[in-house]
Amino acid sequence: MGNIGGKKKVKKGWKKELKLVVLGIAASGKSTFTRQMRMIHEASWTQAELENFYDIICANVYDGLRELGLAMTKFGLECNDPENTKRCRYYKELTEPPSINDVELERIKALWADKSVEKCVKQMREGSELIIHNLGYFIERLDVIAGENYIPSDDDILHCRQRSTGATETCFIKDKTRITLIDMGGQRPERAKWEKVLADGVKGVFYFVALDEFNVPSTEEKGKTKLEVSLEAWKDLLTTAKLTNVSIILLFNKIDLLDEKLKTGFSCVLDQFPNYKGEKTKDGFLDFIRDMFVGSVPDTYNLDFISNFVCCALDTALMGKLFTEAQEHIVRRALAANGL
């Protein structure tokens, strides 16, 4: 991998501080949002961070190919090319992801071009299988990634997927305010740490919900979907954490993936929610999910402190605009809470 060409300058000087926490279950978009904020507000990546992102990209590609191979077996599909059958088996059994070199480049591209693999990916996207959604993006970028002087681009970094653990802080200056974003892990053991962090001077919470996971089985809680787990974590947050006068921004993320899932029709929604009574449209389903979360807010909460947005965390312009609106909301509610 090549060396970083230069660093962006970080703005100096600030008068106020604002501590915000980013929550949600695993793979809901928290880390993508945090990286967006860092990029938008001109913080730079170190050489070590860029090298780590390269390792994450390689791991994402090989994890995706392994998942693809397992799905091929589950669906009873065989590759059209016998050589691709061997490649598929190779990726299913791979334990240590290698660098993406010329040999791997040709092997991956040949497998991805197989018509049975194409059919498998389509079935995974239309059904309830949890596909590594960034796999197609990185495969399209393989020729660049395999290059000797490759440096991950901002888009590459946004598409990286890595499990968050503990509390990861990102700081930047906006409108003469020093903002600290704390990205918390979303797995069940990590969620137990949320309450302690929230008790330490937090003024706002961003809670992420992945819209496309309404029919995706949870890997940590058998018999439940990831949306059900997200709703339970949301309810726990509101009943256990001390969030008096703390603004909550509820972000319904991955609208792009929901769009993709609904392209084949509304049956996937009705299969999951047989008693669904809303309009059989994307907007009707969004209202249904929104009511699930907002409707579960305890009566003790002031709904003026809770706002919600539909978004795609990969959309830089949208997330920049959304964050500005959220910051204004948080500051406005904080002033109101203090009678100002």
Side-chain angles (χ1 to χ4, degrees):
M1 195 187 88
N3 291 322
I4 183 170
K7 295 184 179 180
K8 299 175 183 176
K9 293 182 179 179
V10 180
K11 294 178 181 178
K12 305 289 185 180
W14 47 274
K15 296 180 179 179
K16 298 175 290 185
E17 290 188 82
L18 193 60
K19 184 184 290 187
L20 310 172
V21 176
V22 187
L23 304 177
I25 69 168
S28 56
K30 305 183 307 297
S31 297
T32 303
F33 170 73
T34 303
R35 291 172 193 156
Q36 284 277 28
M37 294 305 103
R38 180 167 172 174
M39 292 173 183
I40 289 170
H41 298 101
E42 301 183 52
S44 60
W45 303 108
T46 66
Q47 179 69 25
E49 286 173 324
L50 290 170
E51 290 173 357
N52 183 55
F53 282 127
Y54 172 75
D55 291 340
I56 294 171
I57 289 168
C58 291
N60 284 178
V61 169
Y62 293 119
D63 285 346
L65 292 170
R66 178 178 178 276
E67 189 177 302
L68 184 61
L70 293 172
M72 291 280 288
T73 301
K74 180 178 179 178
F75 295 147
L77 296 171
E78 290 285 343
C79 291
N80 291 1
D81 183 345
E83 288 301 311
N84 281 336
T85 300
K86 295 178 184 178
R87 294 178 181 115
C88 200
R89 187 183 308 117
Y90 165 76
Y91 289 120
K92 279 198 296 184
E93 298 172 355
L94 190 66
T95 55
E96 289 293 327
S99 297
I100 298 176
N101 52 34
D102 289 342
V103 173
E104 292 296 332
L105 175 67
E106 295 308 315
R107 184 183 283 160
I108 294 169
K109 289 169 76 172
L111 179 60
W112 190 251
D114 195 285
K115 291 298 182 183
S116 290
V117 169
E118 184 179 327
K119 181 179 179 181
C120 182
V121 171
K122 186 172 184 291
Q123 287 184 230
M124 292 175 79
R125 285 176 174 160
E126 291 175 355
S128 61
E129 302 298 318
L130 181 58
I131 186 171
I132 305 270
H133 292 287
N134 58 359
L135 180 59
Y137 170 85
F138 284 130
I139 286 180
E140 288 184 4
R141 295 268 298 158
L142 275 184
D143 288 303
V144 177
I145 294 169
E148 184 178 349
N149 296 314
Y150 168 68
I151 297 171
S153 68
D154 282 354
D155 277 345
D156 294 344
I157 290 168
L158 289 176
H159 279 83
C160 285
R161 299 291 178 266
Q162 184 183 39
R163 175 182 171 181
S164 299
T165 58
T168 303
E169 291 192 3
T170 297
C171 298
F172 53 87
I173 309 298
K174 184 178 187 298
D175 301 330
K176 296 186 178 179
T177 300
R178 184 180 189 271
I179 296 173
T180 301
L181 280 183
I182 305 174
D183 179 7
M184 299 292 297
Q187 298 280 352
R188 176 171 284 279
E190 300 298 325
R191 297 200 294 270
K193 305 171 186 176
W194 288 4
E195 188 176 356
K196 182 179 179 181
V197 174
L198 289 167
D200 187 20
V202 170
K203 295 299 182 186
V205 171
F206 290 90
Y207 189 88
F208 276 80
V209 179
L211 289 167
D212 66 312
E213 294 183 341
F214 64 89
N215 63 347
V216 175
S218 169
T219 56
E220 61 176 351
E221 296 193 38
K222 301 300 181 185
K224 296 179 181 178
T225 64
K226 293 195 71 180
L227 183 66
E228 288 173 321
V229 174
S230 180
L231 181 59
E232 289 179 2
W234 165 254
K235 291 178 179 178
D236 288 345
L237 170 69
L238 297 179
T239 55
T240 60
K242 296 178 175 60
L243 297 176
T244 305
N245 295 334
V246 173
S247 293
I248 302 175
I249 313 298
L250 187 55
L251 294 171
F252 296 104
N253 187 33
K254 302 191 179 182
I255 184 62
D256 56 324
L257 299 182
L258 178 63
D259 279 336
E260 188 174 299
K261 189 166 277 192
L262 294 181
K263 280 180 181 177
T264 57
F266 210 75
S267 59
C268 56
V269 173
L270 299 178
D271 289 343
Q272 188 63 41
F273 302 103
N275 297 320
Y276 177 83
K277 302 298 183 184
E279 293 185 11
K280 295 180 177 62
T281 63
K282 180 183 72 174
D283 288 342
F285 187 47
L286 285 173
D287 287 339
F288 176 73
I289 294 180
R290 187 183 289 110
D291 289 345
M292 255 189 223
F293 284 81
V294 177
S296 64
V297 176
D299 293 338
T300 52
Y301 268 80
N302 182 347
L303 287 176
D304 288 342
F305 279 85
I306 300 177
S307 60
N308 66 85
F309 299 87
V310 174
C311 67
C312 169
L314 292 170
D315 187 330
T316 302
L318 174 64
M319 298 313 290
K321 181 175 181 292
L322 185 152
F323 185 80
T324 296
E325 292 181 19
Q327 183 185 356
E328 290 172 355
H329 171 83
I330 291 166
V331 171
R332 188 165 58 248
R333 296 318 308 168
L335 291 172
N338 289 291
L340 301 174

